[in-house]
Amino acid sequence: ARVRSILLKTMVCGDKKTPVMLPHSSRLTAEDDLPRAQSSIYETIGRGDTASTILTKVAHRNADVARACLLTLDAEALESAAQLIKQASAVYFFAAGLSALAAENALMRFSRIGKPAIFHRDRNSQLLAAAAIRPGAVAIAISDSGRTHQTVLALTAARESGAKTIAITSFMESTIAKAADAVLVTPTGYAAAGDEPLYESMVSKFGQLLTIDVLYSLVAVQDYDTSLASLQRGDAFIQQSRRVRQ
């Protein structure tokens, strides 16, 4: 009930409903591993779309993904992941491309409540950090397809180093999910792993951002007073930095 409450407060509501693909669990083939050619400018945007129709399509697609998170994100998996983070000495994030935006969001949020968080944009630095992780830490890998090679490699290295592992992915039977102690499943905008377009849509990444916000909130409420005190201390410094100097 607590997780569903956080999800409902975090998600964005919309009126128009369009199909959103839920997690795909079929076996992958060699053809699945090849991204399909780009057939549109962005999502369902066509040649004849106007500013009004583009705004409507993008807004409703984001709302659809938020609603779909209620179906794909499992409350028990979220509770399990939150416990791993709460007990961890530090949290390492591994991600590439636009998935790195979710990692950077997580870095800021967890750091603000006093949980040491580490994320390197450089992929090689991620691998080096993963190999040096000590037991007691937790590693979180973010990959929509679940098969981004260096992200999978980093999570695997972290697990071999003794860290607990969490995967945020749209495909529950993906390689990255199999290397995780807890799997958080986000909605996907395409039919099967490997079928994603060559461009990276922010719509599918919105599910990752929402998942991070829910996970952060769940960790924070487990020690509410301490988390709130940390946020308030940080707010004082942020306010100072925003003052206009005469």
Side-chain angles (χ1 to χ4, degrees):
R2 176 174 60 179
V3 174
R4 183 172 179 81
S5 173
I6 291 174
L7 268 170
L8 288 170
K9 289 178 180 178
T10 307
M11 63 182 280
V12 177
C13 295
D15 297 320
K16 183 178 177 182
K17 294 182 179 180
T18 53
V20 174
M21 299 303 299
L22 298 181
H24 194 280
S25 59
S26 63
R27 301 177 70 87
L28 303 184
T29 65
E31 290 186 358
D32 287 330
D33 202 44
L34 297 174
R36 63 180 170 84
Q38 185 166 327
S39 58
S40 62
I41 296 298
Y42 182 88
E43 287 289 326
T44 57
I45 307 303
R47 188 184 300 274
D49 274 304
T50 64
S52 178
T53 61
I54 289 173
L55 174 61
T56 299
K57 286 183 177 181
V58 173
H60 285 310
R61 283 287 285 121
N62 276 285
D64 289 335
V65 170
R67 279 191 294 268
C69 281
L70 290 171
L71 299 176
T72 64
L73 285 170
D74 179 72
E76 290 186 5
L78 283 164
E79 290 280 11
S80 176
Q83 281 298 318
L84 291 177
I85 294 171
K86 179 183 178 182
Q87 297 167 5
S89 57
V91 186
Y92 289 76
F93 292 92
F94 306 126
L98 287 181
S99 293
L101 295 177
E104 291 179 336
N105 176 44
L107 180 68
M108 182 272 292
R109 293 203 177 278
F110 285 109
S111 295
R112 287 211 62 198
I113 59 172
K115 176 62 68 175
I118 299 96
F119 173 63
H120 300 283
R121 265 280 186 176
D122 180 74
R123 295 191 190 187
N124 288 330
S125 295
Q126 290 183 34
L127 291 175
L128 292 173
I133 284 181
R134 296 180 179 180
V138 65
I140 302 178
I142 308 171
S143 171
D144 196 32
S145 68
R147 58 189 182 81
T148 304
H149 180 66
Q150 282 191 268
T151 305
V152 173
L153 192 58
L155 190 67
T156 302
R159 190 174 195 179
E160 292 176 353
S161 297
K164 294 295 183 179
T165 54
I166 299 169
I168 298 176
T169 180
S170 292
F171 298 95
M172 62 185 74
E173 291 189 4
S174 60
T175 307
I176 211 163
K178 293 175 182 177
D181 296 304
V183 181
L184 305 179
V185 183
T186 58
T188 183
Y190 40 88
D195 193 42
E196 71 270 24
L198 292 173
Y199 68 91
E200 290 195 88
S201 166
M202 272 304 298
V203 170
S204 63
K205 307 307 176 189
F206 180 68
Q208 296 175 349
L209 292 167
L210 189 148
T211 300
I212 289 296
D213 281 358
V214 172
L215 191 56
Y216 150 78
S217 300
L218 190 53
V219 172
V221 299
Q222 291 179 0
D223 194 354
Y224 192 92
D225 292 336
T226 301
S227 298
L228 183 59
S230 295
L231 290 170
Q232 291 172 339
R233 286 194 299 272
D235 285 345
F237 287 100
I238 292 173
Q239 289 173 359
Q240 290 178 24
S241 71
R242 290 177 178 173
R243 291 175 182 166
V244 177
R245 295 183 178 181
Q246 300 296 331

